[in-house]
């Protein structure tokens, strides 16, 4: 993958991959690749890889050629963005603390569960982020 063609995004927009068929499972080092990507997220501080790697890590029980090719898509994205850095500096007119959050509604087409996430910025610099797939898609509205 050292000389691969770079990609502009970590995964294709609207990507949906079903869990693999037992008959089509391959022996590619898919789990090892996902582990390396998680290592890159944690050690080299690449929050831009979180969503794509998290999605691909859900499909480790039975993977086939489609899964492996989409995981390699993340590597192609890294190739094109290898020089990206997180730089922390105070911007003059930036608010002290800002939080962004969002969620989808049943976005995983395999189990219809929702995912939510947040980003905290301090003086314009990302200091904390997370994304979590909900364990239950039921939503209850309490009225008072």
């Amino acid at each position: 993958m050292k000389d691969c063609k770079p990609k502009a995004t970590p995964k294709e927009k609207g990507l949906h991959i079903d869990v693999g068929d037992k008959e089509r499972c391959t022996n590619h080092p898919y789990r090892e690749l996902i582990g390396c990507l998680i290592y890159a997220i944690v050690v080299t501080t690449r929050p831009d890889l979180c969503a794509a790697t998290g999605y691909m890590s859900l499909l480790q029980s039975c993977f086939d050629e489609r899964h492996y090719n989409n995981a390699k898509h993340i590597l192609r994205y890294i190739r094109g963005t290898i020089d990206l850095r997180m730089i922390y500096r105070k911007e003059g007119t930036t608010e002290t603390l800002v939080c962004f959050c969002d969620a989808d509604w049943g976005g995983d087409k395999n189990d219809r569960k929702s995912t939510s996430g947040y980003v905290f910025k301090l003086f314009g610099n990302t200091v904390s982020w997370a994304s979590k797939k909900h364990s239950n898609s039921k939503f209850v509205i309490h009225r008072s």
Side-chain angles (χ1 to χ4, degrees):
M1 299 298 296
K2 180 180 172 185
D3 298 321
C4 66
K5 181 179 177 184
K7 295 285 186 177
T9 59
K11 74 177 184 124
E12 294 174 23
K13 183 180 177 183
L15 177 68
H16 170 68
I17 303 175
D18 295 325
V19 177
D21 297 330
K22 297 284 184 192
E23 297 83 33
R24 292 178 29 193
C25 287
T26 65
N27 60 355
H28 291 300
Y30 182 78
R31 291 184 186 106
E32 292 83 353
L33 174 54
I34 297 300
C36 290
L37 291 170
I38 291 171
Y39 180 82
I41 291 167
V42 174
V43 173
T44 63
T45 317
R46 291 289 303 252
D48 54 335
L49 304 176
C50 288
T53 302
Y55 180 73
M56 298 310 295
S57 70
L58 296 173
L59 306 166
Q60 292 187 67
S61 61
C62 184
F63 52 90
D64 57 34
E65 201 68 35
R66 297 170 300 150
H67 301 92
Y68 191 64
N69 288 336
N70 280 288
K72 288 193 308 186
H73 183 106
I74 301 171
L75 294 177
R76 289 183 181 95
Y77 170 74
I78 293 171
R79 177 72 178 129
T81 59
I82 198 77
D83 293 327
L84 284 183
R85 306 272 190 275
M86 291 185 77
I87 298 171
Y88 290 95
R89 64 176 163 244
K90 181 179 178 184
E91 296 175 4
T93 60
T94 306
E95 296 180 46
T96 305
L97 181 66
V98 178
C99 177
F100 300 97
C101 60
D102 198 5
D104 64 0
W105 185 258
D108 188 330
K109 294 180 181 172
N110 290 323
D111 59 13
R112 302 306 301 165
K113 291 185 180 178
S114 302
T115 302
S116 61
Y118 66 83
V119 175
F120 281 99
K121 291 180 160 272
L122 185 62
F123 296 111
N125 302 290
T126 300
V127 293
S128 181
W129 64 88
S131 175
K132 182 177 181 185
K133 186 174 179 180
H134 297 214
S135 58
N136 189 343
S137 290
K138 294 180 182 174
F139 187 77
V140 179
I141 299 175
H142 296 282
R143 297 179 188 217
S144 48

